[in-house]
Amino acid sequence: MHGDPGRAAKDGGRPTVLHVAEAWGGGVQTAVRDYVRSVPEVRHLLLMSERADCQVADTDALFDGVWRMPPGHVARVREVGRLFRELRPDVVHAHSSLAGGYVRLAPAVPTDRIVYTPHCYAMERGDLARYAAAAVQTVERVLSRRTGTVAGVSPREVELARSLRKRQRAIHVPNLVPCQETATALPSKPGTEPEVRTGDTGLPPRTVAAVGRLCPQKDPAFFAEAAAEGRRLMPSSNWFWLGGGESVHRERLEQAGVTVTGWLDHLSLQRLLAQANVYAHTALWEGAPMTLLEAVGLGRPVVARRIPALESLGLTGLVDTPLDLAAAAVAVLTHGPGEKTGARLDQLFAEHTPERQRMMLRYAYGQ
C-alpha cells in the first residue's frame, strides 16, 4: 500500500472515489488515468492488480492512495469490503469484468455507490464457446441487481447494460481522443527504444501499423493474413505491429513479414504511430479502444474490423475479412485517405473530449 489510509479516509470532506481494477495495464490504465484528470476535484483512490504482460505507468503521484490486491478471488472480494469499511468512499468504481465481480460480491458496498465500467463485457469475447458466453451473460444479469450505475465506454456497453436489466441506470462516458499537435517531435526516453530498430526516421514509408498487446483479443492472426495479402498487392508496403506479448503470436506475424517492435513506452509508441500511413484495428472484441482513439487524435487514416463496439461508435467502412482489410489499407497507401475521411472521423469523435467525459463522470458519481 502507498499513501496514508487515515488521510485517504478524511480530506476536507471532498468526495472520494475508490477505483478497483483487476487488470491494471493497457487501455484500462489509460482510461482510468484520464478519468482522474477529468474530475480533479474528486479524491481518487486505487485498488489494483497489475497485468503481468503489460507495461504499467507510475500511479503513486496521480492517486491519493494505492493498494494492491492479494492473490485469490475470495481474498480480493474480502479486500474490497475491508477497504470500503476503512475508507468509506462515496463511490466504488469497478473497471472490467473481474473487478466488477469483486465489488458487487462484497456485501459491505451499498449498491447505489457502485459504478461499473466493463471496458467490454466478457460475454462479447469472440474466443468463448456459446455455452461459456451464455454462462457469463447469466452471471452479469444476476450481478446487475448489485449495480448502481453502468458507465459504459461505448453505446454498445450501454445497450448491453439495459438488456441485462431493463431499469439499469446506464450512461455513456466517452474515452478521450488525445489532442496532440504532433507526436513525431516527442522524444523517446533513453533506454526505451523499440527492440527492432526502424532507422533514424522511425517507420519507413507506406506503413500500415497495428497497436496492442499480442493476445487473442487483438487477433494478430487476422493482421498477419492481411499483411501477407497486402504485401502481395503492394510489395513496397510495410506492415508493423507496435507492441509485444505472447511469442506464438509474434512468430505468426513475423512469418507473414510483419515487423514486431516489442513493448514501447507511451511516448515512443505515439512517435511511431504518428508516422504510420494507415492505422489498422483487428481486435475480435473491444470496448472503445484507446489505440484507435489515439490514432484518430494523431490524424491517422483508420481501417478497422467490423465488431459491434465499433459499429456502435458510428465507424463506417468497416471490413469483415483480412483480405478486405489489406485491400482497404493498400487503397489508402495508393490514393491517400481523402479529405472527407479525416473530417468524418473528427466529427464522429467530436464529443470524446475531457469536458464531455467530466460531465458524464460527475453524473455517474452523483456530483
Side-chain angles (χ1 to χ4, degrees), residues 188-243:
S188 298
K189 295 179 182 179
T192 57
E193 294 83 0
E195 294 173 17
V196 178
R197 302 272 182 173
T198 58
D200 293 338
T201 57
L203 297 182
R206 295 178 292 280
T207 291
V208 181
V211 178
R213 185 166 55 97
L214 293 174
C215 63
Q217 179 195 357
K218 301 301 182 182
D219 204 357
F222 191 102
F223 187 75
E225 190 174 339
E229 174 66 11
R231 294 173 71 233
R232 186 189 69 79
L233 294 172
M234 179 184 279
S236 62
S237 63
N238 299 282
W239 296 71
F240 273 71
W241 189 283
L242 309 181

Side-chain angles (χ1 to χ4, degrees), residues 1-197:
M1 186 199 80
H2 302 271
D4 179 0
R7 174 174 171 258
K10 54 182 180 180
D11 186 0
R14 291 168 59 201
T16 300
V17 175
L18 172 63
H19 297 273
V20 180
E22 176 272 336
W24 185 251
V28 170
Q29 175 182 240
T30 303
V32 176
R33 291 169 69 87
D34 284 342
Y35 293 174
V36 172
R37 296 185 184 100
S38 290
V39 196
E41 69 273 22
V42 170
R43 297 179 51 259
H44 296 272
L45 314 175
L46 176 66
L47 171 63
M48 58 87 142
S49 174
E50 296 175 355
R51 189 190 287 272
D53 54 355
C54 278
Q55 289 189 333
V56 176
D58 178 62
T59 57
D60 293 357
L62 197 60
F63 294 90
D64 287 278
V66 179
W67 291 259
R68 284 170 172 77
M69 292 182 179
H73 297 311
V74 174
R76 290 176 174 186
V77 173
R78 289 174 175 166
E79 180 67 0
V80 169
R82 184 193 71 79
L83 271 183
F84 180 83
R85 289 189 295 269
E86 178 180 331
L87 303 175
R88 292 294 171 182
D90 299 277
V91 173
V92 180
H93 192 161
H95 300 274
S96 296
S97 298
L98 280 177
Y102 300 153
V103 170
R104 292 179 291 179
L105 288 172
V109 184
T111 298
D112 62 359
R113 297 198 191 186
I114 296 174
V115 175
Y116 175 39
T117 299
H119 298 282
C120 189
Y121 275 102
M123 64 260 196
E124 293 273 90
R125 290 180 51 167
D127 62 342
L128 291 181
R130 183 175 299 179
Y131 71 87
V136 170
Q137 185 172 19
T138 299
V139 170
E140 285 285 0
R141 179 168 285 112
V142 171
L143 291 178
S144 69
R145 299 184 180 184
R146 280 276 292 143
T147 309
T149 300
V150 172
V153 297
S154 69
R156 173 68 174 173
E157 284 193 357
V158 174
E159 173 191 341
L160 288 172
R162 290 173 178 159
S163 73
L164 292 169
R165 185 160 68 93
K166 186 174 291 187
R167 296 184 180 180
Q168 178 68 66
R169 185 176 188 254
I171 60 172
H172 177 205
V173 179
N175 285 340
L176 301 184
V177 173
C179 295
Q180 301 185 29
E181 295 179 4
T182 179
T184 55
L186 289 173
S188 298
K189 295 179 182 179
T192 57
E193 294 83 0
E195 294 173 17
V196 178
R197 302 272 182 173

